[in-house]
Short mmCIF file of all heavy atoms in Angstrom, two decimals:
data_model
loop_
_atom_site.label_atom_id
_atom_site.label_comp_id
_atom_site.label_asym_id
_atom_site.label_seq_id
_atom_site.Cartn_x
_atom_site.Cartn_y
_atom_site.Cartn_z
N ALA A 1 16.85 -0.16 22.63
CA ALA A 1 16.06 -0.20 23.85
C ALA A 1 16.11 -1.59 24.57
O ALA A 1 16.14 -2.63 24.00
CB ALA A 1 14.56 -0.09 23.45
N TYR A 2 16.25 -1.51 25.87
CA TYR A 2 16.39 -2.63 26.67
C TYR A 2 15.18 -3.47 26.82
O TYR A 2 14.19 -2.96 27.14
CB TYR A 2 16.89 -2.25 28.13
CG TYR A 2 17.05 -3.46 28.99
CD1 TYR A 2 18.24 -4.21 28.84
CD2 TYR A 2 16.14 -3.72 29.94
CE1 TYR A 2 18.35 -5.38 29.66
CE2 TYR A 2 16.36 -4.84 30.77
CZ TYR A 2 17.53 -5.58 30.65
OH TYR A 2 17.61 -6.69 31.46
N GLN A 3 15.23 -4.79 26.45
CA GLN A 3 14.12 -5.67 26.51
C GLN A 3 14.50 -7.04 27.01
O GLN A 3 13.91 -8.03 26.56
CB GLN A 3 13.42 -5.81 25.18
CG GLN A 3 12.86 -4.53 24.56
CD GLN A 3 12.18 -4.69 23.25
OE1 GLN A 3 12.24 -5.76 22.71
NE2 GLN A 3 11.60 -3.67 22.87
N GLY A 4 15.37 -7.18 27.94
CA GLY A 4 15.79 -8.46 28.43
C GLY A 4 15.87 -8.50 29.87
O GLY A 4 15.65 -7.50 30.59
N GLY A 5 16.17 -9.71 30.37
CA GLY A 5 16.42 -9.95 31.80
C GLY A 5 17.92 -9.81 32.20
O GLY A 5 18.65 -9.13 31.51
N VAL A 6 18.24 -10.50 33.12
CA VAL A 6 19.62 -10.40 33.72
C VAL A 6 20.64 -10.94 32.64
O VAL A 6 21.65 -10.35 32.37
CB VAL A 6 19.77 -11.21 34.97
CG1 VAL A 6 21.21 -11.31 35.41
CG2 VAL A 6 18.95 -10.59 36.03
N GLU A 7 20.31 -11.99 31.88
CA GLU A 7 21.20 -12.58 30.94
C GLU A 7 21.45 -11.61 29.80
O GLU A 7 22.57 -11.31 29.45
CB GLU A 7 20.64 -13.81 30.32
CG GLU A 7 21.43 -14.51 29.33
CD GLU A 7 20.89 -15.79 28.90
OE1 GLU A 7 20.20 -16.51 29.68
OE2 GLU A 7 21.12 -16.17 27.69
N THR A 8 20.44 -10.93 29.33
CA THR A 8 20.67 -9.91 28.31
C THR A 8 21.37 -8.67 28.80
O THR A 8 22.32 -8.19 28.11
CB THR A 8 19.14 -9.40 27.77
OG1 THR A 8 18.51 -10.54 27.24
CG2 THR A 8 19.35 -8.42 26.68
N ALA A 9 21.14 -8.31 29.98
CA ALA A 9 21.84 -7.11 30.59
C ALA A 9 23.42 -7.46 30.71
O ALA A 9 24.17 -6.56 30.57
CB ALA A 9 21.26 -6.85 32.03
N TYR A 10 23.67 -8.73 30.85
CA TYR A 10 25.06 -9.13 30.85
C TYR A 10 25.67 -9.22 29.52
O TYR A 10 26.81 -8.72 29.24
CB TYR A 10 25.23 -10.46 31.60
CG TYR A 10 26.65 -10.99 31.55
CD1 TYR A 10 27.68 -10.46 32.34
CD2 TYR A 10 26.95 -12.11 30.71
CE1 TYR A 10 28.93 -11.03 32.19
CE2 TYR A 10 28.21 -12.62 30.65
CZ TYR A 10 29.21 -12.01 31.43
OH TYR A 10 30.52 -12.54 31.32
N ARG A 11 24.92 -9.77 28.51
CA ARG A 11 25.42 -10.09 27.20
C ARG A 11 25.72 -8.80 26.48
O ARG A 11 26.67 -8.67 25.81
CB ARG A 11 24.38 -10.86 26.47
CG ARG A 11 24.77 -12.36 26.34
CD ARG A 11 23.96 -13.04 25.25
NE ARG A 11 22.62 -12.44 25.00
CZ ARG A 11 21.52 -13.08 25.39
NH1 ARG A 11 21.52 -14.25 25.89
NH2 ARG A 11 20.36 -12.55 25.03
N GLU A 12 24.84 -7.82 26.46
CA GLU A 12 25.02 -6.61 25.74
C GLU A 12 26.28 -5.87 26.09
O GLU A 12 27.04 -5.57 25.08
CB GLU A 12 23.76 -5.68 25.85
CG GLU A 12 22.55 -6.28 25.15
CD GLU A 12 21.29 -5.50 25.24
OE1 GLU A 12 21.39 -4.41 25.83
OE2 GLU A 12 20.30 -5.94 24.74
N PRO A 13 26.62 -5.51 27.27
CA PRO A 13 27.84 -4.82 27.45
C PRO A 13 29.04 -5.74 27.14
O PRO A 13 30.06 -5.22 26.73
CB PRO A 13 27.77 -4.50 29.07
CG PRO A 13 26.37 -4.68 29.44
CD PRO A 13 25.74 -5.56 28.50
N ARG A 14 28.93 -7.00 27.38
CA ARG A 14 30.00 -7.88 27.08
C ARG A 14 30.24 -7.90 25.60
O ARG A 14 31.44 -7.87 25.08
CB ARG A 14 29.72 -9.27 27.48
CG ARG A 14 30.85 -10.27 27.26
CD ARG A 14 30.57 -11.74 27.80
NE ARG A 14 31.74 -12.51 27.78
CZ ARG A 14 31.69 -13.81 27.93
NH1 ARG A 14 30.61 -14.41 28.30
NH2 ARG A 14 32.79 -14.52 27.89
N ALA A 15 29.21 -7.85 24.79
CA ALA A 15 29.27 -7.92 23.37
C ALA A 15 29.86 -6.59 22.87
O ALA A 15 30.79 -6.53 22.04
CB ALA A 15 27.91 -8.11 22.70
N ARG A 16 29.43 -5.44 23.45
CA ARG A 16 30.07 -4.12 23.05
C ARG A 16 31.49 -4.21 23.43
O ARG A 16 32.33 -3.62 22.65
CB ARG A 16 29.41 -3.00 23.77
CG ARG A 16 28.13 -2.46 23.07
CD ARG A 16 27.69 -1.18 23.73
NE ARG A 16 27.45 -1.21 25.10
CZ ARG A 16 26.23 -1.59 25.64
NH1 ARG A 16 25.18 -1.85 24.83
NH2 ARG A 16 26.09 -1.63 26.93
N ALA A 17 31.91 -4.71 24.58
CA ALA A 17 33.36 -4.69 25.02
C ALA A 17 34.06 -5.55 23.95
O ALA A 17 35.26 -5.03 23.63
CB ALA A 17 33.39 -5.33 26.35
N ILE A 18 33.59 -6.64 23.55
CA ILE A 18 34.40 -7.50 22.61
C ILE A 18 34.46 -6.84 21.28
O ILE A 18 35.60 -6.79 20.61
CB ILE A 18 33.66 -8.88 22.53
CG1 ILE A 18 33.92 -9.67 23.81
CG2 ILE A 18 34.24 -9.60 21.28
CD1 ILE A 18 33.15 -10.98 23.97
N VAL A 19 33.39 -6.19 20.76
CA VAL A 19 33.41 -5.57 19.49
C VAL A 19 34.33 -4.28 19.54
O VAL A 19 35.16 -4.13 18.60
CB VAL A 19 31.87 -5.03 19.12
CG1 VAL A 19 31.96 -4.05 17.95
CG2 VAL A 19 31.09 -6.28 18.71
N CYS A 20 34.34 -3.56 20.59
CA CYS A 20 35.20 -2.35 20.74
C CYS A 20 36.73 -2.86 20.68
O CYS A 20 37.49 -2.29 20.04
CB CYS A 20 34.95 -1.59 22.07
SG CYS A 20 33.47 -0.69 22.04
N THR A 21 36.92 -3.90 21.39
CA THR A 21 38.29 -4.43 21.45
C THR A 21 38.73 -4.84 20.14
O THR A 21 39.91 -4.53 19.63
CB THR A 21 38.38 -5.49 22.45
OG1 THR A 21 38.01 -4.98 23.70
CG2 THR A 21 39.90 -5.96 22.66
N LEU A 22 37.97 -5.73 19.47
CA LEU A 22 38.33 -6.15 18.10
C LEU A 22 38.49 -5.04 17.07
O LEU A 22 39.43 -5.14 16.31
CB LEU A 22 37.32 -7.27 17.60
CG LEU A 22 37.20 -8.49 18.41
CD1 LEU A 22 36.09 -9.35 17.91
CD2 LEU A 22 38.60 -9.22 18.36
N VAL A 23 37.63 -4.12 17.11
CA VAL A 23 37.70 -2.99 16.10
C VAL A 23 38.85 -2.13 16.30
O VAL A 23 39.55 -1.84 15.41
CB VAL A 23 36.40 -2.21 16.06
CG1 VAL A 23 36.49 -0.98 15.23
CG2 VAL A 23 35.23 -3.13 15.68
N VAL A 24 39.21 -1.89 17.57
CA VAL A 24 40.33 -1.06 17.91
C VAL A 24 41.69 -1.78 17.73
O VAL A 24 42.65 -1.27 17.02
CB VAL A 24 40.24 -0.39 19.38
CG1 VAL A 24 41.51 0.27 19.72
CG2 VAL A 24 39.07 0.50 19.38
N GLU A 25 41.74 -2.95 18.37
CA GLU A 25 43.06 -3.70 18.36
C GLU A 25 43.38 -4.37 17.08
O GLU A 25 44.50 -4.52 16.65
CB GLU A 25 43.14 -4.53 19.49
CG GLU A 25 43.14 -3.79 20.79
CD GLU A 25 43.51 -4.51 22.05
OE1 GLU A 25 43.62 -5.82 21.89
OE2 GLU A 25 43.78 -3.91 23.08
N LYS A 26 42.39 -5.00 16.36
CA LYS A 26 42.61 -5.82 15.17
C LYS A 26 42.43 -5.07 13.91
O LYS A 26 43.08 -5.33 12.98
CB LYS A 26 41.70 -7.07 15.18
CG LYS A 26 41.81 -7.83 16.47
CD LYS A 26 43.25 -8.49 16.68
CE LYS A 26 43.17 -9.46 17.88
NZ LYS A 26 44.48 -10.10 17.98
N LEU A 27 41.42 -4.16 13.92
CA LEU A 27 41.15 -3.35 12.68
C LEU A 27 41.81 -2.02 12.63
O LEU A 27 41.73 -1.34 11.56
CB LEU A 27 39.63 -3.39 12.44
CG LEU A 27 38.97 -4.75 12.45
CD1 LEU A 27 37.44 -4.55 12.22
CD2 LEU A 27 39.56 -5.56 11.32
N GLY A 28 42.20 -1.54 13.84
CA GLY A 28 42.94 -0.28 13.79
C GLY A 28 42.16 1.00 13.94
O GLY A 28 42.65 2.06 13.71
N LEU A 29 40.86 0.94 14.19
CA LEU A 29 40.08 2.27 14.31
C LEU A 29 40.49 2.79 15.65
O LEU A 29 40.82 2.17 16.55
CB LEU A 29 38.62 1.97 14.30
CG LEU A 29 37.94 2.06 12.78
CD1 LEU A 29 38.36 0.92 11.97
CD2 LEU A 29 36.48 2.10 13.03
N SER A 30 40.28 4.14 15.78
CA SER A 30 40.68 4.73 16.99
C SER A 30 39.35 4.61 17.93
O SER A 30 38.20 4.35 17.49
CB SER A 30 40.86 6.24 16.84
OG SER A 30 39.67 6.97 16.44
N GLY A 31 39.60 4.76 19.18
CA GLY A 31 38.58 4.75 20.21
C GLY A 31 37.57 5.86 19.98
O GLY A 31 36.26 5.62 20.12
N ARG A 32 38.03 6.96 19.46
CA ARG A 32 37.12 8.04 19.18
C ARG A 32 36.18 7.71 17.99
O ARG A 32 34.95 8.00 18.03
CB ARG A 32 37.91 9.22 18.90
CG ARG A 32 37.13 10.59 18.77
CD ARG A 32 37.98 11.76 18.73
NE ARG A 32 38.77 11.98 19.86
CZ ARG A 32 38.49 12.69 20.97
NH1 ARG A 32 37.24 13.28 20.96
NH2 ARG A 32 39.22 12.86 21.98
N GLU A 33 36.75 7.03 17.00
CA GLU A 33 35.88 6.66 15.89
C GLU A 33 34.91 5.67 16.20
O GLU A 33 33.72 5.69 15.80
CB GLU A 33 36.83 5.98 14.77
CG GLU A 33 37.67 6.96 13.97
CD GLU A 33 38.56 6.19 13.05
OE1 GLU A 33 39.50 5.55 13.56
OE2 GLU A 33 38.45 6.31 11.85
N VAL A 34 35.35 4.72 17.03
CA VAL A 34 34.32 3.61 17.55
C VAL A 34 33.26 4.32 18.44
O VAL A 34 32.14 3.94 18.28
CB VAL A 34 35.14 2.58 18.43
CG1 VAL A 34 34.14 1.61 19.00
CG2 VAL A 34 36.07 1.86 17.56
N ALA A 35 33.62 5.32 19.24
CA ALA A 35 32.67 5.89 20.07
C ALA A 35 31.59 6.60 19.19
O ALA A 35 30.34 6.49 19.48
CB ALA A 35 33.38 6.96 20.98
N ARG A 36 32.02 7.24 18.11
CA ARG A 36 31.08 7.90 17.27
C ARG A 36 30.16 6.95 16.52
O ARG A 36 28.99 7.08 16.46
CB ARG A 36 31.83 8.69 16.20
CG ARG A 36 31.65 10.22 16.17
CD ARG A 36 32.19 10.95 15.08
NE ARG A 36 33.45 10.43 14.43
CZ ARG A 36 34.69 10.66 14.74
NH1 ARG A 36 34.88 11.54 15.78
NH2 ARG A 36 35.62 10.22 14.11
N LYS A 37 30.77 5.83 16.03
CA LYS A 37 29.97 4.90 15.17
C LYS A 37 28.97 4.05 16.08
O LYS A 37 27.85 3.77 15.67
CB LYS A 37 30.84 3.98 14.45
CG LYS A 37 31.61 4.69 13.33
CD LYS A 37 32.48 3.71 12.60
CE LYS A 37 33.30 4.41 11.55
NZ LYS A 37 32.62 5.13 10.47
N LEU A 38 29.38 3.86 17.32
CA LEU A 38 28.48 3.02 18.24
C LEU A 38 27.65 3.88 19.19
O LEU A 38 26.98 3.45 19.99
CB LEU A 38 29.34 2.05 19.03
CG LEU A 38 30.17 0.94 18.29
CD1 LEU A 38 30.88 0.07 19.29
CD2 LEU A 38 29.11 0.14 17.45
N GLU A 39 27.91 5.24 18.91
CA GLU A 39 27.08 6.17 19.74
C GLU A 39 27.32 5.94 21.24
O GLU A 39 26.36 5.89 22.06
CB GLU A 39 25.51 6.20 19.41
CG GLU A 39 25.28 6.59 17.93
CD GLU A 39 23.82 6.49 17.61
OE1 GLU A 39 22.96 6.13 18.45
OE2 GLU A 39 23.48 6.86 16.47
N MET A 40 28.62 5.87 21.61
CA MET A 40 28.99 5.69 23.00
C MET A 40 29.96 6.86 23.26
O MET A 40 30.54 7.65 22.30
CB MET A 40 29.85 4.46 23.08
CG MET A 40 29.02 3.14 22.85
SD MET A 40 30.10 1.67 22.81
CE MET A 40 30.71 1.53 24.48
N SER A 41 30.19 7.17 24.54
CA SER A 41 31.17 8.28 24.86
C SER A 41 32.53 7.60 24.72
O SER A 41 32.75 6.47 24.88
CB SER A 41 30.93 8.68 26.27
OG SER A 41 31.30 7.70 27.15
N PRO A 42 33.57 8.48 24.43
CA PRO A 42 34.92 7.84 24.43
C PRO A 42 35.31 7.24 25.68
O PRO A 42 35.98 6.24 25.69
CB PRO A 42 35.79 9.26 24.21
CG PRO A 42 34.87 10.14 23.44
CD PRO A 42 33.52 9.88 24.04
N SER A 43 34.85 7.72 26.84
CA SER A 43 35.06 7.08 28.21
C SER A 43 34.46 5.67 28.25
O SER A 43 35.13 4.79 28.71
CB SER A 43 34.52 8.04 29.26
OG SER A 43 34.64 7.35 30.51
N ALA A 44 33.26 5.52 27.66
CA ALA A 44 32.65 4.24 27.70
C ALA A 44 33.35 3.24 26.79
O ALA A 44 33.49 2.10 27.16
CB ALA A 44 31.11 4.37 27.18
N VAL A 45 33.84 3.68 25.70
CA VAL A 45 34.69 2.82 24.82
C VAL A 45 35.97 2.49 25.52
O VAL A 45 36.30 1.29 25.50
CB VAL A 45 35.03 3.61 23.53
CG1 VAL A 45 36.10 2.79 22.62
CG2 VAL A 45 33.83 3.79 22.72
N SER A 46 36.56 3.39 26.30
CA SER A 46 37.86 3.07 27.00
C SER A 46 37.57 2.01 28.04
O SER A 46 38.21 1.02 28.17
CB SER A 46 38.30 4.36 27.65
OG SER A 46 39.55 4.03 28.37
N LYS A 47 36.50 2.12 28.72
CA LYS A 47 36.12 1.11 29.81
C LYS A 47 35.78 -0.18 29.06
O LYS A 47 36.17 -1.29 29.60
CB LYS A 47 34.98 1.58 30.65
CG LYS A 47 35.32 2.73 31.57
CD LYS A 47 34.20 3.26 32.29
CE LYS A 47 34.66 4.57 33.08
NZ LYS A 47 33.45 5.19 33.69
N ALA A 48 35.06 -0.13 27.93
CA ALA A 48 34.81 -1.39 27.23
C ALA A 48 36.09 -2.09 26.73
O ALA A 48 36.09 -3.29 26.77
CB ALA A 48 33.91 -1.07 26.05
N LEU A 49 36.98 -1.33 26.31
CA LEU A 49 38.30 -1.87 25.87
C LEU A 49 39.01 -2.70 27.03
O LEU A 49 39.56 -3.69 26.82
CB LEU A 49 39.19 -0.76 25.33
CG LEU A 49 38.92 -0.29 23.95
CD1 LEU A 49 39.75 1.01 23.66
CD2 LEU A 49 39.20 -1.34 22.87
N LEU A 50 38.91 -2.06 28.20
CA LEU A 50 39.58 -2.75 29.35
C LEU A 50 38.82 -4.05 29.57
O LEU A 50 39.49 -5.09 29.84
CB LEU A 50 39.42 -1.94 30.58
CG LEU A 50 40.30 -0.61 30.51
CD1 LEU A 50 40.01 0.30 31.79
CD2 LEU A 50 41.81 -1.01 30.44
N ARG A 51 37.50 -4.03 29.55
CA ARG A 51 36.75 -5.37 29.82
C ARG A 51 37.04 -6.35 28.63
O ARG A 51 37.18 -7.51 28.89
CB ARG A 51 35.30 -4.99 29.93
CG ARG A 51 34.86 -4.33 31.19
CD ARG A 51 33.35 -4.36 31.37
NE ARG A 51 32.59 -3.97 30.17
CZ ARG A 51 32.22 -2.88 29.77
NH1 ARG A 51 32.57 -1.71 30.48
NH2 ARG A 51 31.50 -2.72 28.71
N GLY A 52 37.01 -5.80 27.37
CA GLY A 52 37.28 -6.68 26.24
C GLY A 52 38.61 -7.41 26.25
O GLY A 52 38.77 -8.50 25.88
N ARG A 53 39.61 -6.63 26.71
CA ARG A 53 40.98 -7.20 26.80
C ARG A 53 41.13 -8.32 27.77
O ARG A 53 41.88 -9.20 27.74
CB ARG A 53 41.93 -6.13 27.11
CG ARG A 53 42.19 -5.22 25.93
CD ARG A 53 43.10 -4.01 26.28
NE ARG A 53 43.16 -3.16 25.19
CZ ARG A 53 43.28 -1.83 25.26
NH1 ARG A 53 43.20 -1.26 26.46
NH2 ARG A 53 43.37 -1.06 24.20
N LEU A 54 40.28 -8.22 28.81
CA LEU A 54 40.22 -9.21 29.93
C LEU A 54 39.30 -10.54 29.63
O LEU A 54 39.46 -11.52 30.19
CB LEU A 54 39.80 -8.66 31.23
CG LEU A 54 40.75 -7.61 31.82
CD1 LEU A 54 40.19 -6.93 33.01
CD2 LEU A 54 42.11 -8.23 32.09
N ASP A 55 38.48 -10.30 28.60
CA ASP A 55 37.45 -11.38 28.31
C ASP A 55 38.08 -12.37 27.39
O ASP A 55 38.61 -12.14 26.40
CB ASP A 55 36.25 -10.74 27.65
CG ASP A 55 35.03 -11.59 27.50
OD1 ASP A 55 35.25 -12.83 27.26
OD2 ASP A 55 33.98 -11.07 27.65
N THR A 56 38.21 -13.56 27.89
CA THR A 56 38.75 -14.67 27.10
C THR A 56 38.00 -14.86 25.79
O THR A 56 38.59 -15.48 24.85
CB THR A 56 38.73 -16.08 27.98
OG1 THR A 56 37.41 -16.37 28.29
CG2 THR A 56 39.63 -15.83 29.10
N ARG A 57 36.79 -14.68 25.66
CA ARG A 57 36.04 -14.81 24.40
C ARG A 57 36.50 -13.87 23.24
O ARG A 57 36.27 -14.26 22.15
CB ARG A 57 34.46 -14.59 24.67
CG ARG A 57 33.88 -15.50 25.67
CD ARG A 57 33.50 -16.91 25.00
NE ARG A 57 32.76 -16.71 23.86
CZ ARG A 57 32.64 -17.57 22.84
NH1 ARG A 57 33.30 -18.66 22.88
NH2 ARG A 57 31.89 -17.36 21.82
N THR A 58 37.10 -12.71 23.59
CA THR A 58 37.52 -11.85 22.54
C THR A 58 38.42 -12.53 21.55
O THR A 58 38.30 -12.47 20.32
CB THR A 58 38.19 -10.58 23.17
OG1 THR A 58 37.36 -9.99 24.11
CG2 THR A 58 38.68 -9.56 22.14
N GLU A 59 39.51 -13.17 22.03
CA GLU A 59 40.47 -13.84 21.12
C GLU A 59 39.91 -15.00 20.42
O GLU A 59 40.19 -15.19 19.21
CB GLU A 59 41.72 -14.21 21.86
CG GLU A 59 42.89 -14.44 21.05
CD GLU A 59 43.31 -13.24 20.17
OE1 GLU A 59 43.24 -12.08 20.65
OE2 GLU A 59 43.81 -13.38 19.07
N VAL A 60 38.98 -15.76 21.12
CA VAL A 60 38.24 -16.84 20.44
C VAL A 60 37.38 -16.36 19.31
O VAL A 60 37.51 -16.96 18.15
CB VAL A 60 37.43 -17.65 21.54
CG1 VAL A 60 36.54 -18.70 20.78
CG2 VAL A 60 38.33 -18.26 22.57
N ILE A 61 36.66 -15.32 19.55
CA ILE A 61 35.80 -14.73 18.46
C ILE A 61 36.76 -14.29 17.35
O ILE A 61 36.35 -14.52 16.10
CB ILE A 61 34.98 -13.64 19.05
CG1 ILE A 61 33.88 -14.26 19.96
CG2 ILE A 61 34.31 -12.87 17.85
CD1 ILE A 61 33.16 -13.28 20.79
N TRP A 62 37.85 -13.63 17.54
CA TRP A 62 38.70 -13.14 16.51
C TRP A 62 39.19 -14.33 15.71
O TRP A 62 39.20 -14.26 14.52
CB TRP A 62 39.93 -12.33 17.10
CG TRP A 62 40.80 -11.91 15.93
CD1 TRP A 62 42.10 -12.33 15.75
CD2 TRP A 62 40.55 -10.88 14.93
NE1 TRP A 62 42.56 -11.77 14.66
CE2 TRP A 62 41.72 -10.84 14.15
CE3 TRP A 62 39.43 -10.08 14.60
CZ2 TRP A 62 41.80 -10.04 12.98
CZ3 TRP A 62 39.63 -9.32 13.49
CH2 TRP A 62 40.64 -9.30 12.73
N LYS A 63 39.64 -15.41 16.28
CA LYS A 63 40.16 -16.57 15.55
C LYS A 63 39.10 -17.19 14.70
O LYS A 63 39.34 -17.58 13.50
CB LYS A 63 40.72 -17.56 16.55
CG LYS A 63 42.09 -17.05 17.11
CD LYS A 63 42.62 -18.02 18.15
CE LYS A 63 43.86 -17.61 18.77
NZ LYS A 63 44.47 -18.26 19.87
N GLU A 64 37.82 -17.20 15.17
CA GLU A 64 36.71 -17.74 14.49
C GLU A 64 36.50 -16.78 13.26
O GLU A 64 36.18 -17.35 12.09
CB GLU A 64 35.45 -17.87 15.25
CG GLU A 64 35.55 -18.98 16.22
CD GLU A 64 35.70 -20.34 15.61
OE1 GLU A 64 35.02 -20.63 14.62
OE2 GLU A 64 36.57 -21.16 16.05
N MET A 65 36.49 -15.51 13.38
CA MET A 65 36.31 -14.54 12.28
C MET A 65 37.38 -14.72 11.21
O MET A 65 37.09 -14.72 10.05
CB MET A 65 36.37 -13.16 12.83
CG MET A 65 35.07 -12.80 13.65
SD MET A 65 35.18 -11.23 14.48
CE MET A 65 35.12 -10.14 13.06
N VAL A 66 38.58 -14.93 11.64
CA VAL A 66 39.75 -15.10 10.63
C VAL A 66 39.57 -16.46 9.84
O VAL A 66 39.72 -16.42 8.68
CB VAL A 66 41.03 -15.02 11.33
CG1 VAL A 66 42.17 -15.43 10.50
CG2 VAL A 66 41.34 -13.68 11.94
N LYS A 67 39.15 -17.45 10.62
CA LYS A 67 38.85 -18.75 9.95
C LYS A 67 37.85 -18.66 8.86
O LYS A 67 37.90 -19.07 7.73
CB LYS A 67 38.34 -19.78 10.96
CG LYS A 67 39.54 -20.65 11.41
CD LYS A 67 38.87 -21.84 12.13
CE LYS A 67 39.09 -21.77 13.64
NZ LYS A 67 38.66 -22.89 14.39
N LEU A 68 36.67 -17.89 9.22
CA LEU A 68 35.54 -17.66 8.33
C LEU A 68 36.06 -16.84 7.07
O LEU A 68 35.67 -17.19 5.92
CB LEU A 68 34.42 -16.97 8.98
CG LEU A 68 33.66 -17.83 10.00
CD1 LEU A 68 32.60 -16.89 10.69
CD2 LEU A 68 32.98 -18.90 9.31
N ASP A 69 36.88 -15.83 7.28
CA ASP A 69 37.39 -15.03 6.25
C ASP A 69 38.28 -15.84 5.23
O ASP A 69 38.22 -15.64 4.05
CB ASP A 69 38.08 -13.80 6.74
CG ASP A 69 38.46 -12.88 5.67
OD1 ASP A 69 37.58 -12.51 4.88
OD2 ASP A 69 39.64 -12.47 5.66
N SER A 70 39.03 -16.75 5.76
CA SER A 70 39.99 -17.50 5.03
C SER A 70 39.23 -18.58 4.07
O SER A 70 39.81 -19.05 3.14
CB SER A 70 41.05 -18.23 5.86
OG SER A 70 40.44 -19.26 6.57
N LYS A 71 37.96 -18.82 4.43
CA LYS A 71 37.19 -19.80 3.68
C LYS A 71 36.51 -19.11 2.61
O LYS A 71 35.90 -19.73 1.72
CB LYS A 71 36.18 -20.52 4.59
CG LYS A 71 36.85 -21.47 5.61
CD LYS A 71 35.84 -22.10 6.50
CE LYS A 71 36.42 -23.05 7.45
NZ LYS A 71 35.47 -23.62 8.38
N SER A 72 36.46 -17.81 2.59
CA SER A 72 35.77 -17.00 1.53
C SER A 72 36.52 -17.10 0.23
O SER A 72 37.74 -17.11 0.29
CB SER A 72 35.58 -15.52 1.95
OG SER A 72 34.85 -15.44 3.07
N PRO A 73 35.79 -17.06 -0.96
CA PRO A 73 36.53 -17.14 -2.23
C PRO A 73 37.30 -15.86 -2.51
O PRO A 73 37.16 -14.79 -2.02
CB PRO A 73 35.41 -17.39 -3.19
CG PRO A 73 34.17 -17.03 -2.53
CD PRO A 73 34.48 -17.09 -1.03
#
């Protein structure tokens, strides 16, 4: 449920775009699988992937996740 202002309205789709991109491109799930799990349409996932690929934060977040994983025992 939406409960934010303009900033939240911007963050949520951006976060979904980044998550979709990382899950599809780095973890290898299909767009269809992502759509089912995130309760999105396949078309929405496709559009999110386009946005995520253009977002400079996507690669930064991936690198941070890899760093955190390499620190785990």
Side-chain angles (χ1 to χ4, degrees):
Y2 177 74
Q3 294 183 353
V6 173
E7 186 178 324
T8 303
Y10 173 73
R11 258 196 330 250
E12 289 177 4
R14 184 179 190 188
R16 271 195 305 272
I18 291 171
V19 167
C20 287
T21 303
L22 293 176
V23 170
V24 169
E25 294 193 351
K26 305 295 187 179
L27 302 180
L29 269 71
S30 71
R32 191 172 295 270
E33 288 174 292
V34 174
R36 242 189 333 268
K37 292 185 184 296
L38 296 181
E39 298 179 356
M40 297 170 65
S41 70
S43 175
V45 171
S46 179
K47 290 174 185 174
L49 284 169
L50 292 174
R51 288 192 317 272
R53 288 176 182 139
L54 295 173
D55 194 321
T56 57
R57 296 280 304 155
T58 302
E59 200 59 35
V60 172
I61 290 170
W62 177 251
K63 288 177 182 175
E64 288 298 317
M65 290 172 66
V66 170
K67 262 195 252 181
L68 288 174
D69 188 50
S70 67
K71 293 178 182 177
S72 299

